[in-house]
Amino acid sequence: MRSKQQSATEREQVWRVCYTWMLENRHRLKSYALIQADGETDVELLVDRVVERVCEAVLSGRVSAEESALLPYTLRSIHNMAETMRKTNLRRKDAERSYHTNQDTTAMDEKEAEYTALQQAVLSLPQAQLTVVELKIWQKNTFKEISTILQEPESTVRSRYLAALQQIKSILNEAHEDEN
């Protein structure tokens, strides 16, 4: 009986640590989610779902309750959840577009196409480069902070960042040349 009470108490403590960290960092998480999500995704809902997912992962022991483990896992969860929601929204949009095939292309469609091209270029990056770009551009972390988070040398982080930017530029240039 005592071990069940003790384990319930430990679970409650782990949950508190995780949830407290999430509340303290909610503004950062919402900012990151806003960048990751398309304009139609409910950022509050996204962050709430991620908070639940991360707390469950901590309780199950898949993730440590320490900030050094929580931050990368949480950012990756936000990215993955936003991507899932974005794909759902794109499928819905595709269905709407196929229904309205006779409508003219507007400037908004062009911006959407540019955004999609950029998004595809970024998402085509190798995972290590994508993580660095997300932490640098969208989270506004310094290279030193990123190297601490990822536990990689700062020079490696800088190299991945520069390689990612070059790859994105190359992909967008190719896409632009294909259009002309």
Side-chain angles (χ1 to χ4, degrees):
M1 176 79 174
R2 183 162 193 228
S3 64
K4 285 185 180 180
Q5 286 178 336
Q6 186 177 13
S7 99
T9 303
E10 288 173 3
R11 289 176 58 85
E12 187 175 310
Q13 288 173 341
V14 168
W15 179 266
R16 268 197 203 125
V17 167
C18 178
Y19 194 74
T20 301
W21 181 85
M22 292 292 181
L23 287 176
E24 290 170 355
N25 291 283
R26 189 166 183 85
H27 65 284
R28 289 175 61 194
L29 299 176
K30 282 176 62 177
S31 297
Y32 184 71
L34 187 62
I35 291 166
Q36 290 294 308
D38 60 10
E40 298 178 19
T41 301
D42 182 356
V43 173
E44 288 287 332
L45 177 64
L46 174 65
V47 172
D48 287 343
R49 285 183 180 174
V50 168
V51 166
E52 290 174 16
R53 176 186 285 181
V54 171
C55 288
E56 287 171 7
V58 169
L59 285 173
S60 70
R62 290 180 304 191
V63 177
S64 168
E66 296 177 16
E67 183 168 5
S68 63
L70 279 176
L71 183 61
Y73 186 83
T74 303
L75 296 179
R76 177 62 28 218
S77 294
I78 288 172
H79 171 79
N80 291 344
M81 183 88 57
E83 183 63 23
T84 300
M85 292 173 129
R86 189 178 307 115
K87 285 178 182 176
T88 302
N89 287 339
L90 286 174
R91 279 193 290 268
R92 184 182 46 78
K93 281 183 185 179
D94 286 344
E96 289 173 5
R97 280 191 190 126
S98 66
Y99 181 75
H100 301 287
T101 54
N102 295 331
Q103 292 186 345
D104 294 330
T105 303
T106 62
M108 201 57 171
D109 288 337
E110 290 173 14
K111 285 190 177 198
E112 198 171 294
E114 290 172 5
Y115 174 78
T116 302
L118 176 61
Q119 182 181 32
Q120 288 174 345
V122 170
L123 292 175
S124 72
L125 294 172
Q127 185 62 43
Q129 290 178 358
L130 178 62
T131 302
V132 171
V133 167
E134 289 173 346
L135 292 171
K136 179 68 176 158
I137 293 176
W138 294 302
Q139 279 296 310
K140 305 212 183 303
N141 288 310
T142 64
F143 287 117
K144 187 172 186 161
E145 291 170 334
I146 296 169
S147 72
T148 302
I149 291 169
L150 299 178
Q151 299 175 345
E152 297 277 351
E154 189 173 339
S155 60
T156 301
V157 171
R158 285 179 187 273
S159 297
R160 287 180 184 164
Y161 180 72
L162 291 174
L165 293 182
Q166 289 172 344
Q167 186 173 346
I168 291 169
K169 183 179 178 181
S170 173
I171 292 169
L172 293 178
N173 284 338
E174 287 175 16
H176 183 68
E177 288 172 5
D178 290 344
E179 289 176 4
N180 295 330

